[in-house]
Amino acid sequence: MDSKHNQKKTERSENRLRDAKNPYLIQHSDNPVDWYSWCPEAFLEAKRQNKPIFLSIGYSTCHWCHVMERESFQDMEVAKEINRVFIAVKVDREERPDIDAIYMNVCQMLTGSGGWPLTIIMSPDKKPFWAGTYLPKTAQYGRPGLLDLISKIDRIWSLHQTQIHQAAEQIIDVVNTSSDDGVSTKAAMPAWRDVEKAYRSLEEQYDNINGGFGSFPKFAMPVYLLFCFRYWYHTGNTSALDMAVASLESIRLGALHDHIGNGFHRYSTDACWRTPHYEKMLYDQALLGYVYTEAFQATQNIVFRKTAEKTMDYVLTDLADSSGAFYTAEDADTEGFEGLYYLWKRSELERILTKDEFAVFRTAFSVPDFSETHDGHNEKIPLVMTTDNLNSTDKLGMSIDVYRSSIENSLKKLAVERAKRTRPFRDEKILTDWNGLMIAALAKAGAVFQRHDYINAAERAVRFITTELFIDKTTICHSFYKGNTGIKGFLDDYAFLVLGLIELFQATFHVEYLERSVELGLFMIDQFKASDGNGFSFTQRGVESPFVPPKNIFDSVIPSGNSVIIYNLIRLHHLTGKAIFRETAEKYLYEMSGSIQEHPSAFTMLLISLMFEIATPCEIIITGQPEKNTTEKVLEYLHEAYLPDTVILYAHSESNWENLKRIAPFIEMYPSGEHLRMYLCSNHACREPVENLDMLKTLLKHRRSNSNASEY
C-alpha cells in the first residue's frame, strides 16, 4: 500500500470496527466511541439495553466528517456520553447508499437540508426521531452542541418513550407515503416542449460572469453541460453551446481543476471557482472526462481534448488498482488541514521557480502581492487561471508558445516539489457504479482520441468487475475492498455498468460487451421495477426495509440510476431491435411526464434520453470485410464526429457478424460481403448503402441540415 496515500493512524484503543472491511469504518476503529457497524447485533443490543441508536453516516474523504471525529468522536468526554446513552452505529454512505438514501430523505424532510456527516437518532427498530448533520462538541456557529443533544435525548428517552415511538411511526408513515420522491400523478407522453422548458430553466440558472449554474457552493454539473451540448446539436441554438463551452473553460481554468496533478475537485465553495472543496471523487473524473471528450467532438477545441486526456491520465496514475479497477476517492485533508497538499505560499513559488519563470507564473495564476506575517496557512493560495491571464503575452513581451512553455515547465517543477509533501488519504474501496462511469469515460475518450491505452484500461476494469464482483451471470456486488465483496448491487451499479459496456461496445465492437449489456438490461427490468409501477427502485426485489424502498429519480451532480437506465434501454433498442427495451423506456417516460413538467432541470439526463429518442435517432450499419485501413478511417471519423443521436453496428469478422446477428436479428437483412457498405437507417427505414467515407460524410451532413427540432 502507498504510504503517501494512506497514512498510519496513531495507536489508540480499538473498538468493534477493528476488523471492518471498509476504509471509512477503519478510520474510526481507534475512537473511544464503542462503534458498531450496521449489523443485526447492534439493533439486538439496543433492544436488550433499551437504548436509542446514534447513527453516524459519512465517508472516508469527507472534510466535515473528519472535523466531527476530531472534535467529538476522539474526545473522551463525548465518547463516554455516547456510549452511556446510545448504541452507536457507523455507516459508510458509499458502501451502503441504500441506508444513506433512506435517512438522508428523513433529514431533508425534518430539517429542510442535508449533508455529511449525517447524524440520525432512532429507536432500536431503526425508526428515526431526530436528524441533523455536522454537530460541534458544544454549541457554536448556530448549531446545537453534541453534548447538549445527548443530554436532551437521554432525558426524553427516559421520560417520554411512548411519545418518541409515536413520533417515529409518524415519520415512517410520511417517508413511506413520499417514497416516490416527487413522482407526479399526471401522465402524458413527454414532448419537445419539456426539453425547451428545461433549457429555459438552465438559462435562468446560468452564471453569465463565472460560468456554471447557480451561485455557491457551485458544482460542475456535468449532466447540465451534456444537456446543453445535445440541445445545441438538435436545435442549432448557439447560446446553449456558448453556455457549455464557457462553463468548461471556467472550470478548467479555476482551482476546481488541479493544474499540477490533473483531475478535478468535488465542488467550489464560491461562485468563481477559486476555493474548491478539495476531495477528488472518481465519479467527478469520469463524468467531467466524458463531458470534455464530448466538448471536443462538438467544437474540435484541442484544449478540451487535452483536459479530457489529463483527467484520464490522473485516474490511471493515481486512482487505478493494479488489478485494473479504480479506487473511490482522494481526501480533502492533509495533516488536519483541508487543501494543504494543493496550496502554495508566494515565498514557496519564488524559491522553486526562476525569476523569469515566476514573472510568467504570477501573471498566469494571479499570485497576490501580500507579505507573509502570520502563521502562513491562511496565506497559502490556490492556483487559478483566467482568460485574461492567457492574453497577457504582449505585456510580458513573449510569444504565446514561449508563454505556455514557461507555464508548463513551472508546473512540472511544482509537481516535483509537491510530491515531497504528505499525500492525502486515498480510499481504496472499489465501487461497481463509479467504475461503470469510469469505464464509459475511458471507452469514449479512447475511441474519440484513438487512445488504445484508455480502451485497454476500460476493458481491464470490466474484467475485474466480471471476475471479482459478479456472483453469477447477472448478479453484481456493489463494493470490493481487499478481497472482500459487499452486498448485492443497487440500481446505479447496474445502470452505470451497462452505460460503460455500451460505450465499450461502441469503441471496440466486441460483441460480448453488447451481449452482457442486453443480459443486464433485461435483469434490471425484471428485478428493479418499482412495486408501484412507476420507475425503478434503488434496491432489488426482496430487500427487507422498515421503509418503502428508496427511489432516486432526480439528476444532480451524478445522474440518477433511473435516467441512465432509460438512456441505456433506448440505445439498446436501437442496437438490437428488441421491443422490450423501447416499450419499457416509453412507459417510464410516460409515467414521469408530470414530474418533468414540474421540475424540468431536475431531469436533464432523462431529457437527453428523450432528445435521443424523439429526434429520429440513426443507426449506422457497416458490413463487409474491406481493406483494414479503409474501415479504420471510417470508424475514426465516426468516433471523432459529434453524432450524439447515432449508434453504430459493425463486426470485425464474419464469425463476429454471425454472433452480432444473434443479439441484433434485424441486421440479417444487411448482406455481409467482401465490399464495404454503410447503411444509414432511421424510423425503420434505410437509405441506399454508400461505399466510401466521402459519401458517408455527405449523407450525415445532409441528415443534420434537414433535422429541425421545432418539428418534434
Side-chain angles (χ1 to χ4, degrees):
M1 185 180 291
D2 187 342
S3 61
K4 286 192 174 183
H5 271 97
N6 294 284
Q7 298 94 46
K8 258 191 163 181
K9 297 174 73 72
T10 56
E11 292 297 324
R12 294 171 59 102
S13 59
E14 294 181 322
N15 56 39
R16 286 182 176 82
L17 302 182
R18 62 186 178 275
D19 297 321
K21 309 299 183 185
N22 173 281
Y24 178 59
L25 301 188
I26 291 169
Q27 284 180 347
H28 291 268
S29 64
D30 62 1
N31 295 167
V33 175
D34 191 13
W35 293 113
Y36 285 80
S37 61
W38 183 277
C39 60
E41 292 76 15
F43 301 102
L44 288 172
E45 188 63 20
K47 288 178 181 178
R48 189 184 72 79
Q49 296 190 42
N50 190 29
K51 285 185 175 183
I53 299 287
F54 182 94
L55 173 64
S56 178
I57 302 177
Y59 57 104
S60 70
T61 58
C62 166
H63 170 67
W64 286 104
C65 299
H66 299 329
V67 173
M68 192 165 174
E69 182 189 17
R70 288 195 299 269
E71 291 178 346
S72 296
F73 301 148
Q74 291 181 356
D75 183 273
M76 294 301 297
E77 180 185 9
V78 176
K80 182 179 178 181
E81 286 301 288
I82 291 176
N83 294 339
R84 181 180 67 83
V85 176
F86 301 104
I87 296 297
V89 176
K90 256 290 171 192
V91 169
D92 178 355
R93 66 169 292 258
E94 295 166 353
E95 183 181 45
R96 294 301 305 266
D98 55 331
I99 297 170
D100 178 61
I102 288 170
Y103 292 107
M104 185 59 72
N105 188 22
V106 169
C107 183
Q108 291 170 337
M109 185 184 71
L110 294 179
T111 70
S113 62
W116 299 278
L118 175 61
T119 305
I120 299 288
I121 310 298
M122 59 186 182
S123 62
D125 54 358
K126 306 174 187 174
K127 296 177 181 178
F129 56 90
W130 190 93
T133 54
Y134 160 75
L135 294 169
K137 177 180 176 180
T138 56
Q140 55 182 301
Y141 317 124
R143 292 178 178 269
L146 183 53
L147 284 173
D148 291 338
L149 175 67
I150 294 170
S151 177
K152 289 177 182 178
I153 297 295
D154 186 26
R155 186 169 61 254
I156 65 171
W157 183 260
S158 299
L159 299 175
H160 305 291
Q161 266 193 57
T162 301
Q163 293 93 321
I164 288 174
H165 284 293
Q166 289 172 348
E169 287 291 347
Q170 290 174 352
I171 291 170
I172 289 286
D173 290 342
V174 173
V175 171
N176 282 342
T177 55
S178 64
S179 63
D180 58 6
D181 291 324
V183 176
S184 172
T185 55
K186 300 175 184 176
M189 200 61 192
W192 194 263
R193 63 178 177 274
D194 299 309
V195 175
E196 290 288 349
K197 192 174 179 181
Y199 174 67
R200 300 304 168 200
S201 177
L202 292 186
E203 270 192 322
E204 292 174 4
Q205 298 175 51
Y206 178 65
D207 182 343
N208 284 294
I209 297 172
N210 303 298
F213 301 89
S215 53
F216 62 90
K218 183 179 280 186
F219 291 83
M221 300 305 294
V223 179
Y224 285 7
L225 301 171
L226 282 176
F227 176 91
C228 287
F229 280 120
R230 305 295 177 98
Y231 181 83
W232 160 75
Y233 175 84
H234 290 296
T235 66
N237 184 328
T238 56
S239 294
L241 178 66
D242 292 343
M243 284 198 305
V245 167
S247 296
L248 288 173
E249 276 293 314
S250 296
I251 292 166
R252 180 184 68 83
L253 294 170
L256 200 70
H257 180 209
D258 180 1
H259 294 274
I260 294 174
N262 302 314
F264 292 91
H265 302 296
R266 186 162 168 248
Y267 65 86
S268 179
T269 61
D270 64 340
C272 51
W273 311 105
R274 294 189 64 88
T275 312
H277 191 42
Y278 285 94
E279 298 159 86
K280 281 185 172 181
M281 315 302 292
L282 179 62
Y283 62 77
D284 282 323
Q285 317 314 316
L287 291 168
L288 281 168
Y290 192 101
V291 173
Y292 275 102
T293 300
E294 191 151 307
F296 170 76
Q297 288 178 298
T299 66
Q300 295 297 300
N301 184 336
I302 194 67
V303 172
F304 290 152
R305 171 176 179 160
K306 289 180 178 178
T307 306
E309 289 182 306
K310 287 181 178 180
T311 305
M312 302 297 130
D313 293 344
Y314 159 70
V315 171
L316 294 179
T317 301
D318 293 322
L319 292 181
D321 182 79
S322 60
S323 62
F326 302 105
Y327 298 137
T328 297
E330 285 193 284
D331 207 335
D333 293 16
T334 311
E335 299 172 1
F337 293 100
E338 182 179 8
L340 188 64
Y341 181 73
Y342 300 99
L343 299 169
W344 299 88
K345 293 181 181 180
R346 178 189 171 102
S347 58
E348 290 178 301
L349 299 174
E350 289 179 309
R351 173 178 58 81
I352 297 163
L353 305 178
T354 67
K355 185 176 181 180
D356 289 342
E357 287 170 339
F358 180 72
V360 174
F361 195 85
R362 67 175 295 193
T363 301
F365 288 94
S366 304
V367 178
D369 291 322
F370 51 66
S371 59
E372 298 173 282
T373 57
H374 302 296
D375 63 5
H377 178 64
N378 290 331
E379 285 93 10
K380 286 178 174 285
I381 60 167
L383 299 182
V384 179
M385 299 183 80
T386 69
T387 304
D388 290 339
N389 296 149
L390 291 173
N391 295 329
S392 301
T393 52
D394 290 342
K395 182 171 68 175
L396 292 166
M398 60 179 60
S399 69
I400 189 68
D401 289 340
V402 173
Y403 178 78
R404 286 175 172 163
S405 177
S406 177
I407 293 171
E408 188 174 333
N409 289 335
S410 295
L411 290 173
K412 287 178 180 177
K413 283 188 174 182
L414 294 176
V416 171
E417 191 70 19
R418 197 173 80 173
K420 300 173 185 176
R421 299 175 176 178
T422 300
R423 183 132 189 174
F425 169 82
R426 180 175 64 192
D427 187 327
E428 296 184 351
K429 179 172 72 263
I430 292 164
L431 301 174
T432 300
D433 50 354
W434 297 4
N435 270 258
L437 293 176
M438 198 66 231
I439 290 163
L442 284 164
K444 186 176 182 72
V448 173
F449 306 138
Q450 293 299 299
R451 289 288 301 265
H452 298 293
D453 54 334
Y454 294 168
I455 292 173
N456 291 340
E459 291 186 302
R460 288 188 70 214
V462 169
R463 285 196 294 272
F464 177 89
I465 291 171
T466 301
T467 302
E468 301 293 344
L469 284 151
F470 271 76
I471 297 172
D472 55 41
K473 203 172 185 181
T474 53
T475 305
I476 313 173
C477 292
H478 170 63
S479 63
F480 179 95
Y481 182 66
K482 293 187 175 180
N484 298 283
T485 53
I487 62 175
K488 285 185 181 180
F490 303 106
L491 181 72
D492 289 4
D493 294 305
Y494 285 84
F496 297 171
L497 180 58
V498 171
L499 178 69
L501 290 168
I502 292 173
E503 291 292 352
L504 201 45
F505 172 70
Q506 292 291 267
T508 65
F509 303 106
H510 293 163
V511 178
E512 63 265 29
Y513 299 131
L514 180 59
E515 185 173 24
R516 181 55 63 89
S517 299
V518 169
E519 291 169 349
L520 294 177
L522 293 171
F523 183 83
M524 285 188 289
I525 292 171
D526 180 60
Q527 290 296 313
F528 285 92
K529 199 73 176 86
S531 57
D532 62 5
N534 293 320
F536 298 87
S537 292
F538 191 70
T539 54
Q540 295 184 43
R541 288 181 184 174
V543 174
E544 292 185 10
S545 172
F547 299 80
V548 172
K551 187 194 303 177
N552 177 20
I553 62 171
F554 297 121
D555 300 317
S556 184
V557 177
I558 304 178
S560 78
N562 271 274
S563 293
V564 174
I565 279 182
I566 301 309
Y567 186 58
N568 290 338
L569 295 182
I570 289 172
R571 294 174 84 191
L572 284 174
H573 166 65
H574 289 282
L575 285 165
T576 68
K578 296 184 185 300
I580 188 173
F581 295 137
R582 184 195 71 245
E583 291 165 0
T584 304
E586 288 181 351
K587 184 176 185 296
Y588 182 77
L589 287 167
Y590 180 83
E591 292 162 352
M592 297 305 300
S593 61
S595 300
I596 293 170
Q597 291 172 27
E598 292 170 9
H599 311 286
S601 63
F603 293 95
T604 42
M605 185 67 203
L606 191 61
L607 289 171
I608 286 172
S609 303
L610 182 67
M611 280 191 275
F612 185 98
E613 182 63 8
I614 67 178
T616 318
C618 173
E619 300 100 26
I620 298 177
I621 300 158
I622 303 172
T623 68
Q625 299 304 317
E627 180 186 347
K628 181 181 178 183
N629 290 341
T630 303
T631 307
E632 285 182 349
K633 287 179 181 177
V634 169
L635 295 177
E636 285 174 13
Y637 169 75
L638 290 175
H639 283 140
E640 186 173 304
Y642 189 47
L643 302 169
D645 59 348
T646 300
V647 297
I648 307 167
L649 284 151
Y650 169 69
H652 299 284
S653 66
E654 188 66 33
S655 61
N656 280 344
W657 185 254
E658 292 302 316
N659 288 332
L660 189 57
K661 282 196 289 189
R662 284 191 300 101
I663 305 165
F666 76 96
I667 66 171
E668 181 78 43
M669 67 182 72
Y670 303 101
S672 179
E674 294 181 1
H675 300 291
L676 173 68
R677 287 189 176 89
M678 293 164 284
Y679 298 83
L680 265 68
C681 309
S682 59
N683 267 341
H684 309 291
C686 298
R687 294 175 178 268
E688 288 293 319
V690 294
E691 298 184 353
N692 63 62
L693 181 55
D694 289 337
M695 294 172 70
L696 177 64
K697 289 180 179 179
T698 300
L699 275 184
L700 289 169
K701 184 177 180 180
H702 179 73
R703 179 178 182 276
R704 174 90 189 274
S705 64
N706 284 346
S707 70
N708 185 348
S710 65
E711 297 175 358
Y712 303 146

